[in-house]
Amino acid sequence: MKATYWQRGETLDYTPEKAVENGEVVSLGTRIGVAGGDIKAGELGHLHVVGVFEMPKAASTAITMGAAVYYDAGAGVITTTSASNVPAGYAAAAADANDATVLVKLLG
């Protein structure tokens, strides 16, 4: 088998079915990406799949640095509960239960 270099992979081309706003978290089924700009429905844009992003987290949930975190699309928050949530990556810093956000290192 022969492979041909395509791109660095820090961002991926993405064509959404519905419009996506800059910074919006997008579920890719087994991981997430973050829109790198506004993307109109049916038009090509890009998603960041590498990096550390500040994201809203589930209320009353303390998260330790390095803990696996998941995207709860229904609530629009990061949680430590895997259940039916999408793997997001891991906490790049600790977040107290009363913090509104957590730093997330994407799976990449």
Side-chain angles (χ1 to χ4, degrees):
M1 174 174 71
K2 182 179 176 184
T4 303
Y5 179 83
W6 187 260
Q7 64 189 42
R8 289 179 58 115
E10 295 167 352
T11 61
L12 297 178
D13 295 339
Y14 179 71
T15 304
E17 293 180 12
K18 64 179 186 87
V20 175
E21 294 182 6
N22 182 35
E24 187 172 336
V25 175
V26 175
S27 172
L28 300 174
T30 60
R31 64 197 66 244
I32 62 171
V34 178
D38 292 341
I39 310 171
K40 294 180 181 177
E43 292 191 9
L44 183 64
H46 67 276
L47 298 178
H48 295 284
V49 292
V50 173
V52 176
F53 292 84
E54 183 177 38
M55 299 181 182
K57 72 167 193 63
S60 304
T61 300
I63 301 176
T64 59
M65 183 175 187
V69 293
Y70 304 86
Y71 174 54
D72 178 341
V77 296
I78 295 297
T79 180
T80 55
T81 304
S82 60
S84 61
N85 298 319
V86 180
Y90 62 88
D96 291 332
N98 60 345
D99 291 338
T101 61
V102 62
L103 293 177
V104 176
K105 168 65 173 93
L106 298 183
L107 285 175

